[in-house]
Structures are given as C-alpha cells and as structure tokens.
Amino acid sequence: METQVKNETLISKEQLLAHWQGHRALTRRTIEAFPEKDLFSFSIGGMRTFGVLVAELLAIAGPGVVGLATDEWKELDERDQAQGNKAKLLELWDQTTEQINEYWAQIPEGRFQEKLVAFGQYEDQGYCTLLYFIDNEVHHRGQGYVYLRALGIAPPAFWER
Amino acid sequence: METQVKNETLISKEQLLAHWQGHRALTRRTIEAFPEKDLFSFSIGGMRTFGVLVAELLAIAGPGVVGLATDEWKELDERDQAQGNKAKLLELWDQTTEQINEYWAQIPEGRFQEKLVAFGQYEDQGYCTLLYFIDNEVHHRGQGYVYLRALGIAPPAFWER
C-alpha cells in the first residue's frame, strides 16, 4: 500500500479519452479548413506542409494507442499514406478515431504510471507518453493555424472541442 | 463513497505541476530565441506578435493558478506589461513560475473535478480549466515556432522540457 500512488482522481481515464478525442475533433476541422492543394503544398520557413504534419500525427496516434494497450510497439512509420488526397487523409483520421476508442478500453489504468519505451525508443512513464501525443498534436495544429492565417483562411475556434 | 470518483491515479498532482512547468520552461526558451525587435513586431497573416501572445499566457497562468487555489477569480487582464522589453517579459515569466509553485500547493485535489467559472466567465471542471491553460500555451508556442522559422531561427527542441 505504501509504495502505490493513490489519491483523489485529478482526471479519470474516460475524461482523458474525451480530452484527447476533443483535440482530435478540432484537428479534423483544421484539416477540413485547408484547400486540398495548400494542405499538401503550402508551408512557411522550410517547414513541413500541414498534410505531412498530419501524417506524423496519424503515425503516432493509432500505433500509439495500440502500444499503450498492449505494450507492444512497432517502429514509428511516418510515411504519408494520403498521397495528396484530402478525403483520404480525413478517412485515415476517422479510422484512427475508431481505433483509439477501441483500444482505449484495453489500456490498464496502471499503465499510465509504468515506464514504457514508446515505439521502441522513447522511454517515459505512460502518462508522459500519452500527454506527449496530445501536446505534439496541439503544437503542430497551432502551426497549421498560422498556415491558414497566412492563406487568408480563418481557422476553427480553438476553444471548441 | 459511491458518488466519489476514485481509482488508480493516472497522473498525480505533483506530476501535473511538473508537466505544466516543463512546458513553461520550453516556452521561456522560445521567448529567449526571439530577437527583441521581432518578439514585439513580427507576425504572420495579421496574427498577434509572439510578445502579445506571451502576455496572454501570463494573464492566464498566474491569476489562473490563484483561481484554482482559492476559487476566487478576477477578470482576465491581457495587457502587455513588458512594453517591448524582452528582459522584462522574461522577468514576468519567472515571477509567474514562482507564483505557480507557491499556489499549486494550495489547490485542493478535489478542485480538479469541481465545476469552476474561471475568470468569472469560463465554466468547466477544474481539470479542463487547467488543461486549457496548458494547451493554449502549447498552441501559441507552436505558432511562435513558425514565426522563428520564418525569421530563419531554429526553435528549441520540442521534446526537451
């Protein structure tokens, strides 16, 4: 009993899922706001296009939730599977949304305090790993907002999830 | 007992503070990376300068942690108090860092599941309010990264906290 961290819950597992999926819904609206051409060609300062950034988010989220559920990790594969096709990118996004909901239920609650080696190379506690997935998405989506503004397009409201 | 949410801790209060302050340390390095002139003048697509975005982060973080600790909320005051002075902005940042550490200890753990009306206008549970503070910082810092890239300056490593 002494060695296990237990206290009043700051955030429950269900709340953490809703938080993640709320962010993902906003990122989906951000993808939708891009004209297809700009999604895969526009960038600033030599950065990646938003389409390529989204390919990274997809490479992390789906295999990431499987890893959290099973603690079996494949190497990160960030190849863009949408190949310049916005509808395909949104389809992949929605498939990942389903995958997250499915595997989330299988994550043992204790996993969040365990040490993991995510994707076989990033060692950290489970909650840090998950928060990294979310923060990385918020970070890149914020960059997508600048691309949209530079294109003269209003991004979706940040506070709506 | 039945009505109170209790289970194995996903993330402890101390871990959540370290997570927040880790992000804030990265934002501090992002501020440092800007030349003073660009910090308060450069922007893309009609957006706010990074200096003004940081003024918003300061307006939220310090009064926000006081609100979480006391549940007494003032109106949001986003006025830029650094007035074009980078050293002053960093000094305000560091004062807020201390303030967060001081007031964090006073936040009752149950606060994170309570309904709050942050800044007298944003109604949500405590954990949503805090995560919003953090996510908003990650979002705007990501935008600062684009400004830096557009200026030909390499931003700090995202994964270092």
Side-chain angles (χ1 to χ4, degrees), chain B residues 63-91:
Chain B
V65 76
V66 173
L68 287 169
T70 63
D71 204 19
E72 286 171 23
W73 297 91
K74 295 184 183 163
E75 262 186 62
L76 206 53
D77 177 5
E78 299 185 25
R79 276 173 299 181
D80 171 20
Q81 295 180 61
Q83 300 287 337
N85 185 326
K86 179 174 164 179
K88 177 68 180 167
L89 191 67
L90 289 168
E91 189 188 316

mmCIF file of all heavy atoms in Angstrom, chain B residues 63-91:
data_model
loop_
_atom_site.group_PDB
_atom_site.id
_atom_site.type_symbol
_atom_site.label_atom_id
_atom_site.label_comp_id
_atom_site.label_asym_id
_atom_site.label_seq_id
_atom_site.Cartn_x
_atom_site.Cartn_y
_atom_site.Cartn_z
ATOM 1 N N PRO B 63 -2.857 34.502 -12.542
ATOM 2 C CA PRO B 63 -4.203 34.608 -11.965
ATOM 3 C C PRO B 63 -4.958 33.275 -12.029
ATOM 4 O O PRO B 63 -5.804 33.004 -11.175
ATOM 5 C CB PRO B 63 -4.870 35.669 -12.847
ATOM 6 C CG PRO B 63 -3.731 36.494 -13.371
ATOM 7 C CD PRO B 63 -2.606 35.522 -13.569
ATOM 8 N N GLY B 64 -4.629 32.436 -13.010
ATOM 9 C CA GLY B 64 -5.294 31.141 -13.139
ATOM 10 C C GLY B 64 -4.964 30.192 -11.996
ATOM 11 O O GLY B 64 -5.841 29.514 -11.462
ATOM 12 N N VAL B 65 -3.697 30.159 -11.606
ATOM 13 C CA VAL B 65 -3.323 29.265 -10.507
ATOM 14 C C VAL B 65 -3.889 29.785 -9.183
ATOM 15 O O VAL B 65 -4.287 29.002 -8.310
ATOM 16 C CB VAL B 65 -1.793 29.023 -10.445
ATOM 17 C CG1 VAL B 65 -1.051 30.218 -9.872
ATOM 18 C CG2 VAL B 65 -1.480 27.755 -9.660
ATOM 19 N N VAL B 66 -3.956 31.099 -9.041
ATOM 20 C CA VAL B 66 -4.581 31.683 -7.842
ATOM 21 C C VAL B 66 -6.064 31.289 -7.809
ATOM 22 O O VAL B 66 -6.598 30.894 -6.770
ATOM 23 C CB VAL B 66 -4.429 33.222 -7.825
ATOM 24 C CG1 VAL B 66 -5.225 33.844 -6.683
ATOM 25 C CG2 VAL B 66 -2.955 33.610 -7.730
ATOM 26 N N GLY B 67 -6.710 31.357 -8.958
ATOM 27 C CA GLY B 67 -8.113 30.960 -9.049
ATOM 28 C C GLY B 67 -8.320 29.493 -8.702
ATOM 29 O O GLY B 67 -9.258 29.139 -7.982
ATOM 30 N N LEU B 68 -7.448 28.643 -9.213
ATOM 31 C CA LEU B 68 -7.563 27.210 -8.903
ATOM 32 C C LEU B 68 -7.361 26.960 -7.408
ATOM 33 O O LEU B 68 -8.008 26.097 -6.813
ATOM 34 C CB LEU B 68 -6.545 26.398 -9.717
ATOM 35 C CG LEU B 68 -6.849 26.238 -11.212
ATOM 36 C CD1 LEU B 68 -5.639 25.655 -11.942
ATOM 37 C CD2 LEU B 68 -8.082 25.357 -11.443
ATOM 38 N N ALA B 69 -6.468 27.724 -6.792
ATOM 39 C CA ALA B 69 -6.184 27.532 -5.367
ATOM 40 C C ALA B 69 -7.310 28.067 -4.489
ATOM 41 O O ALA B 69 -7.693 27.442 -3.499
ATOM 42 C CB ALA B 69 -4.853 28.199 -5.006
ATOM 43 N N THR B 70 -7.849 29.220 -4.860
ATOM 44 C CA THR B 70 -8.783 29.928 -3.971
ATOM 45 C C THR B 70 -10.232 29.891 -4.454
ATOM 46 O O THR B 70 -11.142 30.212 -3.703
ATOM 47 C CB THR B 70 -8.382 31.423 -3.880
ATOM 48 O OG1 THR B 70 -8.502 32.000 -5.195
ATOM 49 C CG2 THR B 70 -6.947 31.584 -3.383
ATOM 50 N N ASP B 71 -10.434 29.560 -5.714
ATOM 51 C CA ASP B 71 -11.706 29.713 -6.430
ATOM 52 C C ASP B 71 -12.229 31.151 -6.387
ATOM 53 O O ASP B 71 -13.431 31.400 -6.462
ATOM 54 C CB ASP B 71 -12.772 28.723 -5.936
ATOM 55 C CG ASP B 71 -13.836 28.466 -7.020
ATOM 56 O OD1 ASP B 71 -13.559 28.743 -8.202
ATOM 57 O OD2 ASP B 71 -14.948 28.011 -6.674
ATOM 58 N N GLU B 72 -11.303 32.077 -6.291
ATOM 59 C CA GLU B 72 -11.642 33.497 -6.470
ATOM 60 C C GLU B 72 -11.007 33.947 -7.777
ATOM 61 O O GLU B 72 -9.813 33.763 -7.999
ATOM 62 C CB GLU B 72 -11.126 34.336 -5.300
ATOM 63 C CG GLU B 72 -11.968 34.113 -4.047
ATOM 64 C CD GLU B 72 -11.361 34.747 -2.803
ATOM 65 O OE1 GLU B 72 -10.573 35.699 -2.940
ATOM 66 O OE2 GLU B 72 -11.669 34.247 -1.704
ATOM 67 N N TRP B 73 -11.837 34.497 -8.638
ATOM 68 C CA TRP B 73 -11.390 34.803 -9.999
ATOM 69 C C TRP B 73 -11.576 36.281 -10.298
ATOM 70 O O TRP B 73 -12.641 36.835 -10.077
ATOM 71 C CB TRP B 73 -12.191 33.987 -11.010
ATOM 72 C CG TRP B 73 -12.000 32.513 -10.873
ATOM 73 C CD1 TRP B 73 -12.749 31.655 -10.108
ATOM 74 C CD2 TRP B 73 -10.985 31.706 -11.483
ATOM 75 N NE1 TRP B 73 -12.264 30.377 -10.218
ATOM 76 C CE2 TRP B 73 -11.184 30.378 -11.058
ATOM 77 C CE3 TRP B 73 -9.926 31.970 -12.362
ATOM 78 C CZ2 TRP B 73 -10.372 29.312 -11.467
ATOM 79 C CZ3 TRP B 73 -9.109 30.930 -12.765
ATOM 80 C CH2 TRP B 73 -9.332 29.620 -12.327
ATOM 81 N N LYS B 74 -10.533 36.900 -10.826
ATOM 82 C CA LYS B 74 -10.650 38.263 -11.348
ATOM 83 C C LYS B 74 -10.923 38.173 -12.841
ATOM 84 O O LYS B 74 -10.738 37.130 -13.455
ATOM 85 C CB LYS B 74 -9.348 39.028 -11.093
ATOM 86 C CG LYS B 74 -9.089 39.232 -9.614
ATOM 87 C CD LYS B 74 -7.858 40.072 -9.382
ATOM 88 C CE LYS B 74 -7.602 40.195 -7.876
ATOM 89 N NZ LYS B 74 -6.231 40.651 -7.586
ATOM 90 N N GLU B 75 -11.311 39.305 -13.422
ATOM 91 C CA GLU B 75 -11.451 39.340 -14.886
ATOM 92 C C GLU B 75 -10.089 39.189 -15.533
ATOM 93 O O GLU B 75 -9.078 39.643 -14.998
ATOM 94 C CB GLU B 75 -12.040 40.693 -15.312
ATOM 95 C CG GLU B 75 -13.533 40.634 -15.558
ATOM 96 C CD GLU B 75 -14.048 41.951 -16.118
ATOM 97 O OE1 GLU B 75 -13.607 42.337 -17.214
ATOM 98 O OE2 GLU B 75 -14.874 42.574 -15.429
ATOM 99 N N LEU B 76 -10.086 38.565 -16.704
ATOM 100 C CA LEU B 76 -8.841 38.388 -17.462
ATOM 101 C C LEU B 76 -8.298 39.763 -17.877
ATOM 102 O O LEU B 76 -9.032 40.588 -18.416
ATOM 103 C CB LEU B 76 -9.169 37.546 -18.702
ATOM 104 C CG LEU B 76 -8.075 36.708 -19.353
ATOM 105 C CD1 LEU B 76 -7.386 35.786 -18.367
ATOM 106 C CD2 LEU B 76 -8.678 35.886 -20.484
ATOM 107 N N ASP B 77 -7.018 40.001 -17.601
ATOM 108 C CA ASP B 77 -6.387 41.263 -17.984
ATOM 109 C C ASP B 77 -5.146 40.942 -18.808
ATOM 110 O O ASP B 77 -4.076 40.642 -18.271
ATOM 111 C CB ASP B 77 -6.010 42.057 -16.723
ATOM 112 C CG ASP B 77 -5.283 43.352 -17.060
ATOM 113 O OD1 ASP B 77 -5.149 43.688 -18.264
ATOM 114 O OD2 ASP B 77 -4.835 44.038 -16.121
ATOM 115 N N GLU B 78 -5.306 40.997 -20.129
ATOM 116 C CA GLU B 78 -4.240 40.550 -21.034
ATOM 117 C C GLU B 78 -3.297 41.662 -21.465
ATOM 118 O O GLU B 78 -2.507 41.483 -22.394
ATOM 119 C CB GLU B 78 -4.859 39.896 -22.289
ATOM 120 C CG GLU B 78 -5.685 38.674 -21.971
ATOM 121 C CD GLU B 78 -6.197 37.959 -23.220
ATOM 122 O OE1 GLU B 78 -5.566 38.095 -24.287
ATOM 123 O OE2 GLU B 78 -7.221 37.277 -23.129
ATOM 124 N N ARG B 79 -3.378 42.812 -20.811
ATOM 125 C CA ARG B 79 -2.498 43.904 -21.228
ATOM 126 C C ARG B 79 -1.030 43.497 -21.134
ATOM 127 O O ARG B 79 -0.608 42.858 -20.164
ATOM 128 C CB ARG B 79 -2.752 45.151 -20.361
ATOM 129 C CG ARG B 79 -3.925 45.980 -20.861
ATOM 130 C CD ARG B 79 -4.228 47.088 -19.898
ATOM 131 N NE ARG B 79 -4.602 46.548 -18.583
ATOM 132 C CZ ARG B 79 -4.935 47.307 -17.538
ATOM 133 N NH1 ARG B 79 -4.923 48.622 -17.645
ATOM 134 N NH2 ARG B 79 -5.288 46.746 -16.386
ATOM 135 N N ASP B 80 -0.292 43.881 -22.158
ATOM 136 C CA ASP B 80 1.143 43.586 -22.221
ATOM 137 C C ASP B 80 1.880 44.474 -21.228
ATOM 138 O O ASP B 80 1.953 45.696 -21.412
ATOM 139 C CB ASP B 80 1.632 43.840 -23.654
ATOM 140 C CG ASP B 80 3.152 43.774 -23.764
ATOM 141 O OD1 ASP B 80 3.783 43.183 -22.872
ATOM 142 O OD2 ASP B 80 3.679 44.315 -24.745
ATOM 143 N N GLN B 81 2.431 43.869 -20.188
ATOM 144 C CA GLN B 81 3.125 44.662 -19.166
ATOM 145 C C GLN B 81 4.618 44.792 -19.434
ATOM 146 O O GLN B 81 5.328 45.471 -18.717
ATOM 147 C CB GLN B 81 2.898 44.041 -17.782
ATOM 148 C CG GLN B 81 1.426 44.107 -17.364
ATOM 149 C CD GLN B 81 1.195 43.488 -15.999
ATOM 150 O OE1 GLN B 81 1.745 43.938 -14.997
ATOM 151 N NE2 GLN B 81 0.390 42.439 -15.960
ATOM 152 N N ALA B 82 5.090 44.077 -20.469
ATOM 153 C CA ALA B 82 6.531 44.134 -20.766
ATOM 154 C C ALA B 82 6.860 45.315 -21.669
ATOM 155 O O ALA B 82 8.000 45.789 -21.684
ATOM 156 C CB ALA B 82 6.980 42.842 -21.424
ATOM 157 N N GLN B 83 5.861 45.814 -22.412
ATOM 158 C CA GLN B 83 6.028 47.034 -23.227
ATOM 159 C C GLN B 83 7.268 46.977 -24.111
ATOM 160 O O GLN B 83 8.086 47.912 -24.095
ATOM 161 C CB GLN B 83 6.095 48.262 -22.299
ATOM 162 C CG GLN B 83 4.848 48.468 -21.447
ATOM 163 C CD GLN B 83 3.659 48.986 -22.271
ATOM 164 O OE1 GLN B 83 3.849 49.576 -23.329
ATOM 165 N NE2 GLN B 83 2.444 48.740 -21.816
ATOM 166 N N GLY B 84 7.419 45.894 -24.849
ATOM 167 C CA GLY B 84 8.514 45.830 -25.813
ATOM 168 C C GLY B 84 9.869 45.499 -25.212
ATOM 169 O O GLY B 84 10.888 45.561 -25.897
ATOM 170 N N ASN B 85 9.896 45.151 -23.938
ATOM 171 C CA ASN B 85 11.159 44.862 -23.247
ATOM 172 C C ASN B 85 11.263 43.359 -22.976
ATOM 173 O O ASN B 85 10.549 42.818 -22.134
ATOM 174 C CB ASN B 85 11.184 45.671 -21.943
ATOM 175 C CG ASN B 85 12.498 45.542 -21.209
ATOM 176 O OD1 ASN B 85 13.141 44.499 -21.238
ATOM 177 N ND2 ASN B 85 12.901 46.615 -20.541
ATOM 178 N N LYS B 86 12.170 42.700 -23.709
ATOM 179 C CA LYS B 86 12.288 41.236 -23.602
ATOM 180 C C LYS B 86 12.738 40.788 -22.201
ATOM 181 O O LYS B 86 12.212 39.811 -21.656
ATOM 182 C CB LYS B 86 13.285 40.735 -24.654
ATOM 183 C CG LYS B 86 13.526 39.237 -24.660
ATOM 184 C CD LYS B 86 14.429 38.856 -25.843
ATOM 185 C CE LYS B 86 15.019 37.470 -25.672
ATOM 186 N NZ LYS B 86 15.880 37.090 -26.814
ATOM 187 N N ALA B 87 13.694 41.519 -21.632
ATOM 188 C CA ALA B 87 14.170 41.157 -20.291
ATOM 189 C C ALA B 87 13.032 41.251 -19.270
ATOM 190 O O ALA B 87 12.898 40.403 -18.378
ATOM 191 C CB ALA B 87 15.330 42.060 -19.871
ATOM 192 N N LYS B 88 12.194 42.267 -19.438
ATOM 193 C CA LYS B 88 11.054 42.450 -18.537
ATOM 194 C C LYS B 88 10.056 41.300 -18.717
ATOM 195 O O LYS B 88 9.482 40.792 -17.737
ATOM 196 C CB LYS B 88 10.378 43.801 -18.846
ATOM 197 C CG LYS B 88 9.122 44.102 -18.037
ATOM 198 C CD LYS B 88 9.419 44.333 -16.573
ATOM 199 C CE LYS B 88 8.151 44.641 -15.783
ATOM 200 N NZ LYS B 88 8.411 44.552 -14.320
ATOM 201 N N LEU B 89 9.835 40.890 -19.974
ATOM 202 C CA LEU B 89 8.910 39.787 -20.248
ATOM 203 C C LEU B 89 9.405 38.501 -19.575
ATOM 204 O O LEU B 89 8.625 37.769 -18.950
ATOM 205 C CB LEU B 89 8.773 39.575 -21.763
ATOM 206 C CG LEU B 89 7.646 38.645 -22.209
ATOM 207 C CD1 LEU B 89 6.278 39.265 -21.906
ATOM 208 C CD2 LEU B 89 7.744 38.344 -23.715
ATOM 209 N N LEU B 90 10.713 38.244 -19.661
ATOM 210 C CA LEU B 90 11.282 37.047 -19.030
ATOM 211 C C LEU B 90 11.197 37.139 -17.508
ATOM 212 O O LEU B 90 10.961 36.136 -16.825
ATOM 213 C CB LEU B 90 12.734 36.846 -19.484
ATOM 214 C CG LEU B 90 12.887 36.399 -20.944
ATOM 215 C CD1 LEU B 90 14.346 36.522 -21.394
ATOM 216 C CD2 LEU B 90 12.401 34.951 -21.130
ATOM 217 N N GLU B 91 11.351 38.362 -16.984
ATOM 218 C CA GLU B 91 11.244 38.558 -15.532
ATOM 219 C C GLU B 91 9.808 38.261 -15.068
ATOM 220 O O GLU B 91 9.598 37.581 -14.051
ATOM 221 C CB GLU B 91 11.612 40.016 -15.215
ATOM 222 C CG GLU B 91 11.752 40.331 -13.741
ATOM 223 C CD GLU B 91 11.935 41.852 -13.545
ATOM 224 O OE1 GLU B 91 12.719 42.473 -14.317
ATOM 225 O OE2 GLU B 91 11.275 42.402 -12.641
#
